[in-house]
């Protein structure tokens, strides 16, 4: 099963390679990864999507905790959370498909971020399955290039 | 007043209580070595290979219960330490390794003798540092010692660029190390202690399975108290030997691949296993699905990652072994349901069963006329040192015979490279152990192959006047590999014949040490006696039965009850 882990780390050189080295060294897989500074510039937040049964996820969580520079590990699957990815997709857009591409962008609340006579680049954000849906629908029209971020996630605030 | 980085480093080592450094110099650490000259209370042991410095620091740490220290230069000096660091990592031994580094301005330029040692050792250190700012030097060293010795101990490396050791800094006042992220758990959860104790009370066939954690936590007394209070038989891992008295009537000896028949049978039939500071590695469990099928498992370990990693645990207790065992002992003392006598009675049939297993297949070997058996040598070493020597081992059959036939009644007396199994560990470790305990007899039980991996340390031992004794069990083979070839590869001895070897007696003499040889059983005792009476480094070359095997043996991947007995 897929798990989204949110890891708070000391913002120091080499910390990311401690995390990725742990995954490669112990044969765990990383499906996506995203890191950036938090409100406190001394701390970064790394969101990582991995998969495995519950013993593997438990082991991953404990191993992450064991790294000296790791402050906190949260398994987002244990809480209610929101996750997002962003993709920029360059799709073929010639006379006969330009309107169609824009319509699709609109349906998925995407934005055109670059235009050329023969293509549009669309920016789409959403959970991974939404991004996948956009890709699937644009594919027959002709996708030329895709760049995607890793997943980021935040736990929903408790509603009384 | 400002001092240099090198001065601050040495001052900080003294502040941390360091008395001995094992090292080897080079261009970027000359400033530090220069400073060492001015500190008479700090003994520097000049090794002849950096790997040996780390093994020596490792054994020094084990004997003393403190942090061992090694100091080497950049590049090849640093890469030579990697095996030693990896061994200390797998055995959870607290050491701090200082490596010199090229000046910060040159880092990343492929400068002369530059390697990214922090990158190289990231997966085999508990933590490591590159000091880039002179002001960070002292706090980093303090943090490194704290990390190395606290929680589950382990090696920490500090990479020190040359310019840091010459920079002028103000020595910061000593404060306790406070870390935002790293706070090991020492105290057990009382609820878990209670659960564990209740499970033990109910057990008909309890076993204590003790590992190296008992020794690093100095929990041997507490363990003995628990075992005797409840009359629970104890088995130990290779790393746990000495954590419980080996001659105690509740001791079953070692378990696992070359463990005793009764230990492995007891694990198999047990209904409650109390694992203390052990980690269920494959040499212990054998085929996992056949391991301890009937047992409820209680697992005490300071490292949460060890719990339920290989074997699912029923009652986890994340804590320091000493604290957890004290908690359990107190629980039993205070609990009115617990009665020592009736509890002992209840499990009496179980202990009887274990004694029967022990009688059926004791640790033994066949004597052969005129031929020295390695087990006999170890037994004689045991007798003639009254079981009181510090024993280090190399790796292979020699290591297993030492573990099986020398009985350890005390902790911190047996040093072996358990997790990594490094040939070449034993001799430098013996030097480290001797530096930590100058008045003890220290013996490296060695193989003829392994001893050649760090034989150059004879010079170190001579220079330090370390009267360590090396007992080579000389079979002319890489014996352990040969044994696997005999048993599982139809005796195709590929790459294991090492008959072409130095004359070890002459070799010892070439270094100014003493060489003795025994080729017949009757010569064993006189050779050992002579060695023990010699105040110099001694090599004892025991020419032993060439194709002797280590038994019992659980073939890799088999259930631990599928033991080959001879
Ligand atoms: C550095 C290293 N290389 C290879 C091995 C694999 N190995 C394990 S035991 C062994 C044989 C050791 O031979 P020797 O020291 O003569 O000991 P014996 O088994 O004969 O007692 C070898 C090659 C190892 N453990 N360490
Ligand atoms: Mg040999």
């Amino acid at each position: 099963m897929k798990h989204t882990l949110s890891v708070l780390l000391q913002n120091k050189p080499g910390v990311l390679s401690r995390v990725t080295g742990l995954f490669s060294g112990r044969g765990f897989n990383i499906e996506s990864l995203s890191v950036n500074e938090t409100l406190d510039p001394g701390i970064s937040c790394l969101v990582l999507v991995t998969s495995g049964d519950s013993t593997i996820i438990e082991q991953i969580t404990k191993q992450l905790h064991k790294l000296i520079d790791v402050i906190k590990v949260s398994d987002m699957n244990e809480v209610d959370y929101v996750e997002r990815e962003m993709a920029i997709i360059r799709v073929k857009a010639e006379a006969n498909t330009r309107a169609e591409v824009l319509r699709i962008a609109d349906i998925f609340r995407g934005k055109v971020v670059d235009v050329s006579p023969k293509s549009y680049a669309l920016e789409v954000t959403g959970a991974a399955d939404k991004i996948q849906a956009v890709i699937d629908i644009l594919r027959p029209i002709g996708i030329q290039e895709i760049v995607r971020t890793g997943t980021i996630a935040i736990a929903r605030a408790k509603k009384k | 007043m400002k001092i240099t980085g090198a001065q601050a480093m040495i001052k900080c080592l003294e502040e941390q209580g360091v008395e001995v450094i094992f090292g080897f110099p080079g261009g970027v650490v000359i400033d530090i070595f220069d400073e060492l000259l001015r500190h008479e209370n700090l003994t520097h042991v000049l090794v002849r290979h950096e790997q040996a410095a780390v093994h020596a620091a490792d054994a020094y740490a084990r004997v003393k219960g403190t942090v061992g220290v090694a100091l080497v230069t950049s590049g090849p000096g640093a890469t030579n330490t990697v095996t030693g660091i990896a061994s200390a990592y797998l055995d959870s031994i607290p050491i701090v390794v200082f490596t010199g580094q090229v000046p910060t301005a040159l880092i990343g330029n492929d400068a002369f003798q530059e390697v990214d040692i922090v990158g190289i050792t990231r997966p085999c250190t508990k933590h490591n540092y590159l000091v880039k700012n002179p002001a960070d030097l002292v706090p980093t060293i303090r943090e490194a010692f704290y990390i190395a010795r606290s929680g589950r101990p382990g090696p920490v490396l500090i990479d020190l660029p040359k310019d840091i050791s010459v920079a002028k800094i103000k020595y910061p006042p000593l404060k306790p190390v406070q870390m935002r992220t790293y706070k090991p758990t020492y105290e057990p959860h009382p609820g878990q202690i209670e659960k564990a104790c209740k499970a033990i009370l109910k057990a008909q066939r309890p076993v204590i399975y003790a590992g190296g954690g008992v020794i690093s936590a100095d929990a041997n007394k507490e363990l003995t108290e628990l075992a005797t209070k409840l009359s629970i038989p104890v088995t130990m891992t290779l790393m746990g030997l000495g954590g419980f008295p080996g001659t105690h009537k509740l001791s079953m000896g070692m378990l696992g691949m070359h463990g005793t028949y009764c230990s492995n049978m007891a694990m198999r039939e047990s209904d409650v296993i109390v694992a203390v500071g052990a980690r269920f590695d494959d040499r212990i469990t054998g085929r996992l699905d056949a391991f301890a099928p009937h047992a409820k498992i209680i697992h005490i370990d300071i490292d949460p990652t060890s719990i339920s990693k290989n074997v699912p645990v029923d009652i986890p207790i994340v804590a320091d072994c000493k604290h957890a065992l004290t908690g359990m002992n107190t629980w039993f003392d205070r609990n009115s349901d617990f009665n020592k006598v009736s509890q002992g009675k209840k499990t009496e049939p179980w202990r009887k069963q274990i004694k029967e297993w022990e009688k059926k297949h004791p640790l033994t070997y066949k004597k052969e006329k005129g031929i020295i058996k390695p087990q006999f040598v170890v037994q004689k070493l045991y007798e003639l040192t009254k079981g009181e020597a510090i024993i280090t081992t190399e790796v292979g059959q020699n290591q297993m015979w030492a573990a099986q036939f020398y009985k350890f009644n005390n902790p911190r007396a047996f040093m072996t490279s358990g997790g990594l199994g490094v040939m070449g560990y034993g001799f430098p470790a013996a030097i480290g152990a001797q530096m930590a305990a100058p008045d003890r007899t220290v013996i490296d039980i060695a193989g003829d192959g392994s001893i050649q991996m760090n034989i150059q340390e004879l010079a170190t031992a001579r220079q330090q006047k370390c009267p360590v004794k090396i007992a080579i069990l000389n079979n002319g083979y890489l014996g352990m590999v040969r044994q696997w070839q005999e048993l599982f590869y139809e005796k195709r001895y590929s790459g294991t014949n090492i008959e072409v070897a130095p004359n070890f007696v002459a070799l010892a003499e070439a270094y100014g040490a003493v060489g003795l040889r025994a080729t017949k059983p009757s010569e064993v005792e006189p050779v050992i006696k002579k060695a023990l009476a010699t105040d110099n480094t001694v090599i004892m070359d025991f020419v032993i039965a060439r194709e002797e095997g280590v038994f019992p043996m659980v073939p890799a991947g088999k259930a631990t009850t599928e033991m080959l007995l001879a």
Side-chain angles (χ1 to χ4, degrees):
Chain A
M1 197 179 133
K2 269 198 186 179
H3 279 250
T4 304
L5 305 179
S6 171
V7 187
L8 294 180
L9 310 156
Q10 301 264 46
N11 191 0
K12 283 189 192 162
V15 176
L16 184 58
S17 73
R18 290 185 200 278
V19 174
T20 53
L22 168 68
F23 275 73
S24 59
R26 292 190 180 265
F28 305 139
N29 63 343
I30 300 181
E31 294 183 7
S32 100
L33 182 122
S34 136
V35 209
N36 217 326
E37 222 173 81
T38 60
L39 257 187
D40 176 347
I43 297 178
S44 27
C45 176
L46 177 149
V47 179
L48 183 148
V49 181
T50 183
S51 57
D53 61 27
S54 60
T55 37
I56 292 180
I57 300 297
E58 183 184 331
Q59 192 52 220
I60 291 176
T61 311
K62 287 174 172 177
Q63 291 287 355
L64 281 168
H65 260 299
K66 193 169 158 179
L67 295 177
I68 304 286
D69 287 327
V70 167
I71 300 166
K72 190 176 168 203
V73 183
S74 331
D75 183 350
M76 300 307 263
N77 292 40
E78 287 171 3
V79 296
D80 201 9
Y81 72 104
V82 188
E83 68 169 31
R84 288 290 177 270
E85 275 180 31
M86 188 202 283
I88 301 178
I89 307 167
R90 191 184 305 285
V91 60
K92 215 155 81 186
E94 286 167 354
N96 56 338
T97 55
R98 282 182 97 80
E100 172 68 2
V101 170
L102 289 180
R103 223 174 1 253
I104 294 170
D106 205 38
I107 292 169
F108 288 95
R109 298 197 198 150
K111 272 195 291 193
V112 177
V113 292
D114 187 40
V115 182
S116 83
K118 291 192 170 163
S119 70
Y120 282 136
L122 306 183
E123 172 199 306
V124 194
T125 59
D129 53 350
K130 173 175 161 188
I131 306 281
Q132 200 50 52
V134 182
I135 292 169
D136 290 345
I137 234 162
L138 289 174
R139 201 185 299 271
I141 299 174
I143 295 178
Q144 295 172 328
E145 196 181 348
I146 298 183
V147 284
R148 283 171 84 161
T149 64
T151 301
I152 53 170
I154 193 167
R156 288 188 193 274
K158 292 220 167 61
K159 300 180 181 102
K160 272 201 214 143
Chain B
M1 197 192 68
K2 291 200 166 180
I3 56 177
T4 66
Q7 287 169 333
M9 171 187 156
I10 301 300
K11 186 168 170 176
C12 191
L13 294 183
E14 287 177 337
E15 167 200 296
Q16 296 293 320
V18 176
E19 292 167 6
V20 178
I21 299 178
F22 300 90
F24 198 82
V28 295
V29 288
I30 297 181
D31 297 284
I32 300 169
F33 276 83
D34 195 42
E35 185 57 26
L36 271 179
L37 276 183
R38 282 183 274 269
H39 295 258
E40 280 171 8
N41 296 336
L42 211 51
T43 306
H44 173 249
V45 177
L46 176 64
V47 295
R48 297 300 188 271
H49 186 297
E50 291 88 349
Q51 180 191 348
V54 183
H55 291 324
D58 165 319
Y60 180 90
R62 294 195 204 201
V63 172
K64 272 217 149 166
T66 54
V67 180
V69 178
L71 165 64
V72 304
T73 192
S74 67
T79 52
N80 272 349
T81 64
V82 174
T83 302
I85 293 173
S87 180
Y89 183 64
L90 283 171
D91 290 345
S92 309
I93 306 302
I95 55 171
V96 174
V97 176
F98 291 90
T99 51
Q101 182 56 284
V102 301
T104 35
L106 291 184
I107 290 179
N109 281 343
D110 297 327
F112 178 62
Q113 295 194 329
E114 177 190 359
V115 293
D116 174 15
I117 196 65
V118 168
I120 290 172
T121 58
R122 210 169 267 139
C124 61
T125 48
K126 184 170 171 186
H127 199 54
N128 59 17
Y129 302 86
L130 167 64
V131 181
K132 280 184 148 170
N133 182 343
D136 292 340
L137 176 62
V138 172
T140 301
I141 297 174
R142 288 173 181 157
E143 197 172 288
F145 274 82
Y146 170 67
I147 289 175
R149 75 165 95 84
S150 59
R152 178 177 179 173
V156 178
L157 180 140
I158 301 179
D159 202 19
L160 268 181
K162 156 103 181 168
D163 50 318
I164 301 289
S165 47
V166 295
K168 291 278 189 184
I169 60 177
K170 244 177 92 178
Y171 193 80
L174 179 61
K175 301 190 284 234
V177 176
Q178 274 288 355
M179 294 180 66
R180 183 177 197 171
T181 55
Y182 170 73
K183 295 188 182 78
T185 308
Y186 290 93
E187 287 306 323
H189 189 287
Q192 294 298 92
I193 293 288
E194 169 146 20
K195 260 196 217 161
C197 292
K198 284 186 170 159
I200 295 172
L201 272 188
K202 282 208 207 101
Q204 304 282 342
R205 301 183 303 282
V207 170
I208 292 175
Y209 147 49
V214 173
I215 291 168
S216 61
D218 289 317
N220 51 301
K221 285 215 175 70
E222 290 75 7
L223 180 72
T224 307
E225 184 184 336
L226 181 72
T228 47
K229 204 191 289 286
L230 287 113
S231 310
I232 307 176
V234 180
T235 182
M236 284 159 277
T237 67
L238 182 66
M239 292 299 295
L241 292 175
F244 183 79
T247 56
H248 196 288
K249 65 181 197 303
L250 287 170
S251 169
M252 299 186 283
M254 187 168 74
L255 81 166
M257 183 174 271
H258 292 295
T260 57
Y261 179 80
C262 69
S263 287
N264 286 335
M265 291 305 288
M267 291 294 275
R268 157 87 188 192
E269 295 303 326
S270 169
D271 62 351
V272 171
I273 292 173
V274 189
V276 192
R279 59 186 175 89
F280 296 88
D281 84 280
D282 55 284
R283 289 301 193 251
I284 296 302
T285 62
R287 207 179 79 222
L288 268 178
D289 57 13
F291 177 72
H294 316 293
K296 184 168 235 173
I297 297 181
I298 300 165
H299 190 183
I300 305 172
D301 206 291
I302 196 155
D303 179 1
T305 67
S306 290
I307 291 176
S308 294
K309 181 166 65 183
N310 306 329
V311 171
V313 168
D314 300 284
I315 307 176
I317 302 176
V318 176
D320 179 89
C321 295
K322 194 182 182 86
H323 295 223
L325 290 167
T326 304
M328 288 165 80
N329 286 327
T330 314
W331 190 92
F332 286 116
D333 290 344
R334 289 193 187 148
N335 194 285
S336 52
D337 292 347
F338 168 64
N339 175 293
K340 186 174 166 168
V341 177
S342 63
Q343 183 71 17
K345 266 234 168 78
K346 186 180 83 180
T347 52
E348 207 178 297
W350 172 234
R351 287 190 302 282
K352 220 181 238 159
Q353 166 72 76
I354 289 172
K355 285 289 162 219
E356 271 163 34
W357 283 324
E358 202 179 316
K359 227 181 269 158
K360 189 166 158 209
H361 296 296
L363 274 181
T364 182
Y365 62 94
K366 283 196 204 75
K367 295 210 159 86
E368 272 176 69
K369 216 172 164 226
I371 294 174
I372 302 178
K373 286 300 182 90
Q375 301 92 334
F376 173 72
V377 176
V378 178
Q379 277 178 338
K380 279 287 160 200
L381 287 169
Y382 174 68
E383 271 173 44
L384 295 169
T385 56
K386 303 189 186 67
E388 282 164 9
I390 292 177
I391 301 293
T392 69
T393 78
E394 301 294 341
V395 169
Q397 296 182 311
N398 57 86
Q399 179 185 33
M400 292 301 124
W401 287 318
Q404 289 179 335
F405 289 91
Y406 202 101
K407 307 281 173 233
F408 296 93
N409 279 336
N410 292 299
R412 304 192 180 280
F414 180 61
M415 328 280 135
T416 194
S417 173
L420 194 65
V422 183
M423 290 173 67
Y425 171 84
F427 182 29
I431 296 172
Q434 188 80 80
M435 292 305 295
D439 299 331
R440 300 273 301 269
T441 299
V442 180
I443 304 174
D444 172 26
I445 297 184
D448 48 330
S450 305
I451 193 62
Q452 293 182 65
M453 286 215 176
N454 270 319
I455 193 74
Q456 76 288 343
E457 297 308 313
L458 277 169
T460 309
R462 290 277 299 128
Q463 185 168 352
Q464 293 302 322
K465 302 201 165 47
C466 267
V468 300
K469 313 292 182 264
I470 302 169
I472 302 179
L473 304 177
N474 189 345
N475 51 15
Y477 278 115
L478 299 172
M480 185 57 94
V481 182
R482 185 210 58 77
Q483 177 172 345
W484 285 47
Q485 290 170 330
E486 175 186 341
L487 296 172
F488 315 118
Y489 293 84
E490 295 162 337
K491 295 200 174 193
R492 290 188 302 276
Y493 294 164
S494 172
T496 43
N497 191 329
I498 52 168
E499 268 174 311
V500 177
N503 172 342
F504 287 111
V505 172
L507 181 78
E509 285 162 2
Y511 275 96
V514 174
L516 304 168
R517 179 173 293 124
T519 55
K520 302 198 289 266
S522 60
E523 292 166 354
V524 171
E525 186 163 325
V527 161
I528 296 173
K529 279 188 169 157
K530 186 154 183 214
L532 293 176
T534 305
D535 189 26
N536 190 350
T537 312
V538 181
I539 288 186
M540 296 172 266
D541 183 14
F542 296 104
V543 180
I544 61 162
R546 286 207 74 194
E547 301 202 7
E548 185 70 9
V550 180
F551 294 103
M553 175 179 194
V554 179
K558 294 269 176 158
T560 48
T561 46
E562 297 175 69
M563 282 169 272
L564 306 175
L565 293 161

